[in-house]
Amino acid sequence: MPATPAPRLSLDLRVPPTAGRYEQVTIDDLGTPLADVTFVVVDLETTGGSPTDCAITEIGAVKVRAGQVVGEFQTLVDPGVEIPPYISVLTGITSMMVAAAPRIDSVLPHFLEFTRGTVLVAHNAPFDLGFLTAACASTGLSWPAFASVDTAVLARRLLTRDEVPNCKLGTLAPFFSARTTPTHRALDDARATVDVLHGLFERLGPLGVTSLEELTGLTRQVDPARRKKRHLAAHVPHGPGVYVFRGPRDEPLYVGTSTDLRSRVRSYFSAGEQRSRMTEMVTLAQRVEALPCAHDLEAAVRELRLIAEHKPRYNKRSRFPERALWVRLTQEPFPRLSVVRRVRPGAGVFLGPFPDRRAADAAVAAVHESLPLRQCSGRLSPSGTGTACALADMGRCGAPCTGAQSREEYASVAAVFAAAVSTDPRELCAPLLARVNRLATEGRFEDAAVLRDRVAVLVRAVRRRQRLELLAAVSELTLARPDGAGGWALSVVRRGRLVAAGVAERGTSVRAHLEGLRATAETPTGPEDELAATVDETELVLRWMEKPGTRLVDVTGTLASPVPGTGAFSGFLDLVEAGRDARDPFGDSRSLRTSSQPDRVRPTRGRADGRRTRAALASRV
């Protein structure tokens, strides 16, 4: 006798409207209880941080259900390439260890079978899932549509700054008393993540999160107070421009820019915006002011100017351009280096700007390593009646204070710095790079790295200064870029300042449009050979000018880069950047700092309403 299929279990007890206002929904609508979900916590070790040019060296996974471990998966993987030494130091996995290990195309089918029908969990899930997805694509396998949970993001929502300073696995594991210490080995880190996951699950009960659907939607919930303010975006047009959120006293709270104003402003009232600061800002906002612009460069420039003028409390960058620092070679008989906040024409040679005091001090230290410039702050008498300091005894100063170095001899030393800033930094940097190589040869790698980073800061500052001078000497510059619709986006720049912007639509005369722009363009003030804009604005213009497709229409003045400039140091700077990335190739670059208080989670309609309905119905029985 054929077996009768079991009926689908559901409760469809609909109470007539006359009997009451409660309605029982199906069990399926209540969601999948977390106790019934099988999770696989996975961790990978790789040869680097990018799935496009790096490979997996180890996979570790732990399968858990209802708080119990039901299986483990671990294997080394032959990446097919040599493992970089710094990766071996970090993970303990060497090329010799993986020589006899299977290749990824043999490992993946077994791993996918192990994870079939489960929910994947990882700490910094984009990293691990990105590598696994790329490995499937390279081997011709299809990546299943796994649901996933990122414990780093979950911790960001459930923990406070008073409990943990950050959401790194090494911080969370001891906080939750994990039985396994993270060691940068796949299985150990997966086991530690299991304990972190269970610790975070204990925080879900008071929030009313008991189902998988509520868990995966936890980071996408939108506060009702924020959702109610969607009407603020109703009048915002499409197209490039600047938007300003204004508060109760009509004060600017936040200034931003976008190539599509309406879409960007609407995103602040949706689940796409997860920054806690922005949630607070939207709560205070009373209206949104939209300022349409001709193209993206004008929008970016207007944003900078508005931020610098109003200094909105919720903007972080570009609020205080006046706080930029410069290294100045003073104008006196025996000049010295000093860190200042203002460039004064004719007051010496200026290098910069630097983002902070630490960078400025690093550049000054690099110059003093290369040149015997005096480091005392007082004025020196040309007669040389002073006494020598310790730096003179060490050979790091020519002791002009004692008369041991004439004014002409000292000037030749200072001229090396002036020449480096204006045209050629090779004479300034050559002794420093030679010393870096010597320290590395002697095995003093930490000292070599410190000096190397100082040289990099110095070279970047020289490059930045020379790029700014490039536009400071140009009285007027006219640029054009295709707008994507058959027309041209036009910009008129005078001494580094955007003074006019417009769009010549398809079929119209570009030259005629440019003449109209020039006629109504702003006339900048100030000395003719100095920048007429902030450094940030001039750099925006430079980047727009250097984009592929930008055309130079007209130039009034001289547009030329110094020769030889810093071009010879491009390879050196690339190596420094590569070395910085290699220090922590697996680091999570997302902003996952904990907040001052845990996020409030309100039950969503549907499944949560089903729970409330079930409780209400039970109370009536």
Side-chain angles (χ1 to χ4, degrees):
M1 185 175 186
T4 303
R8 182 180 181 183
L9 180 61
S10 64
L11 293 177
D12 195 8
L13 305 179
R14 301 189 180 275
V15 183
T18 55
R21 59 185 179 88
Y22 301 105
E23 181 178 288
Q24 177 66 39
V25 295
T26 65
I27 286 180
D28 290 340
D29 290 335
L30 301 180
T32 307
L34 292 177
D36 296 340
V37 179
T38 302
F39 296 93
V40 170
V41 181
V42 62
D43 187 81
L44 306 179
E45 300 303 330
T46 66
T47 60
S50 172
T52 58
D53 51 15
C54 300
I56 298 171
T57 59
E58 186 180 26
I59 300 178
V62 181
K63 184 181 293 187
V64 293
R65 183 182 176 89
Q68 299 297 319
V69 175
V70 296
E72 291 187 342
F73 181 98
Q74 188 275 333
T75 181
L76 291 171
V77 181
D78 180 6
V81 295
E82 289 291 323
I83 298 178
Y86 65 90
I87 297 293
S88 295
V89 172
L90 185 65
T91 65
I93 301 174
T94 63
S95 297
M96 184 69 68
M97 293 172 59
V98 299
R103 299 295 292 269
I104 191 63
D105 54 352
S106 301
V107 172
L108 273 179
H110 299 286
F111 176 76
L112 294 178
E113 181 63 30
F114 181 77
T115 57
R116 183 190 300 274
T118 66
V119 175
L120 292 186
V121 179
H123 199 80
N124 187 12
F127 176 86
D128 299 283
L129 300 189
F131 267 93
L132 290 171
T133 304
C136 283
S138 64
T139 56
L141 297 174
S142 60
W143 176 251
F146 287 109
S148 63
V149 175
D150 190 337
T151 49
V153 176
L154 194 58
R156 166 67 178 82
R157 295 297 304 266
L158 300 176
L159 301 178
T160 67
R161 193 176 299 124
D162 293 334
E163 294 175 304
V164 290
N166 56 60
C167 297
K168 297 179 180 179
L169 183 59
T171 303
L172 298 177
F175 176 76
F176 286 113
S177 302
R179 292 164 293 181
T180 305
T181 301
T183 59
H184 267 303
R185 290 300 299 269
L187 189 56
D188 284 347
D189 288 4
R191 289 169 174 169
T193 306
V194 169
D195 292 332
V196 171
L197 178 68
H198 290 160
L200 293 171
F201 277 1
E202 294 176 0
R203 302 293 186 100
L204 297 177
L207 300 178
V209 177
T210 60
S211 69
L212 174 63
E213 290 74 14
E214 290 171 324
L215 175 65
T216 56
L218 180 60
T219 59
R220 298 190 296 271
Q221 292 200 25
V222 184
D223 189 279
R226 181 151 58 111
R227 189 185 296 113
K228 289 178 180 178
K229 291 198 172 185
R230 286 179 294 182
H231 67 278
L232 297 180
H235 70 284
V236 177
H238 290 285
V242 179
Y243 56 90
V244 183
F245 281 86
R246 293 189 175 272
R249 297 184 300 277
D250 209 41
E251 75 278 16
L253 297 175
Y254 182 78
V255 178
T257 182
S258 176
T259 56
D260 189 336
L261 283 173
R262 186 176 181 84
S263 298
R264 183 67 186 101
V265 172
R266 285 172 62 90
S267 70
Y268 284 90
F269 311 106
S270 68
E273 180 55 69
Q274 292 295 323
R275 292 173 293 176
S276 58
R277 292 175 60 255
M278 293 298 100
T279 300
E280 180 181 335
M281 183 274 295
V282 172
T283 303
L284 295 175
Q286 299 299 312
R287 72 182 183 95
V288 179
E289 179 182 0
L291 305 173
C293 298
H295 48 68
D296 57 340
L297 176 60
E298 184 189 10
V301 168
R302 293 186 71 176
E303 177 195 29
L304 281 178
R305 294 177 183 175
L306 287 170
I307 292 174
E309 178 184 358
H310 299 290
K311 301 182 180 3
R313 58 184 292 193
Y314 290 98
N315 281 96
K316 284 188 174 181
R317 64 176 183 86
S318 306
R319 291 177 62 193
F320 303 100
E322 65 276 7
R323 293 183 182 177
L325 296 174
W326 301 76
V327 173
R328 173 195 174 203
L329 181 67
T330 59
Q331 205 170 34
E332 51 187 322
F334 298 99
R336 59 186 177 85
L337 297 180
S338 64
V339 179
V340 298
R341 290 196 179 276
R342 186 179 175 188
V343 175
R344 291 182 297 158
V349 178
F350 291 85
L351 173 64
F354 296 90
D356 50 45
R357 182 72 190 219
R358 183 178 179 181
D361 289 342
V364 170
V367 175
H368 285 152
E369 288 273 358
S370 178
L371 301 176
L373 293 173
R374 71 184 183 97
Q375 300 183 35
C376 50
S377 58
R379 283 190 169 272
L380 301 186
S381 171
S383 60
T385 57
T387 57
C389 62
L391 291 175
D393 297 335
M394 297 167 58
R396 300 185 61 178
C397 180
C401 55
T402 65
Q405 191 175 32
S406 68
R407 184 171 177 176
E408 291 74 18
E409 293 172 335
Y410 190 91
S412 65
V413 175
V416 175
F417 177 80
V421 173
S422 60
T423 56
D424 188 0
R426 289 180 296 184
E427 186 177 355
L428 175 64
C429 296
L432 299 173
L433 295 178
R435 186 162 181 239
V436 170
N437 293 330
R438 185 171 66 254
L439 291 172
T441 302
E442 295 172 357
R444 299 168 59 184
F445 300 111
E446 293 184 358
D447 294 337
V450 170
L451 183 56
R452 177 204 62 192
D453 290 344
R454 288 178 179 174
V455 178
V457 170
L458 177 62
V459 173
R460 289 193 197 98
V462 171
R463 172 172 290 184
R464 194 177 189 190
R465 182 60 176 166
Q466 291 179 357
R467 282 170 53 82
L468 295 174
E469 293 292 336
L470 177 70
L471 288 187
V474 180
S475 300
E476 184 175 287
L477 184 70
T478 305
L479 303 170
R481 280 184 54 79
D483 67 351
W488 292 90
L490 306 174
S491 297
V492 180
V493 180
R494 292 174 180 169
R495 297 194 350 252
R497 183 179 181 87
L498 181 67
V499 295
V503 175
E505 297 181 354
R506 182 177 182 178
T508 61
S509 171
V510 176
R511 287 289 179 181
H513 199 85
L514 279 176
E515 292 302 322
L517 287 179
R518 289 195 185 98
T520 58
E522 174 189 359
T523 301
T525 59
E528 289 297 326
D529 57 345
E530 292 292 324
L531 283 176
T534 63
V535 170
D536 289 340
E537 178 176 335
T538 304
E539 289 184 330
L540 281 175
V541 173
L542 282 167
R543 287 195 291 270
W544 202 76
M545 181 175 70
E546 293 168 349
K547 285 182 178 180
T550 302
R551 297 189 182 184
L552 184 60
V553 180
D554 285 317
V555 177
T556 303
T558 302
L559 181 65
S561 299
V563 177
T566 59
F569 295 90
S570 297
F572 166 74
L573 293 177
D574 291 340
L575 288 175
V576 173
E577 290 297 326
R580 178 179 291 107
D581 295 339
R583 292 173 193 172
D584 189 7
F586 313 122
D588 189 350
S589 60
R590 297 172 298 172
S591 178
L592 293 172
R593 294 178 297 175
T594 50
S595 56
S596 57
Q597 60 182 4
D599 292 319
R600 294 181 178 179
V601 181
R602 291 176 171 84
T604 56
R605 297 187 62 83
R607 297 181 179 90
D609 283 350
R611 266 199 319 275
R612 290 195 297 268
T613 303
R614 181 173 56 179
L617 186 59
S619 66
R620 289 169 54 89
V621 176

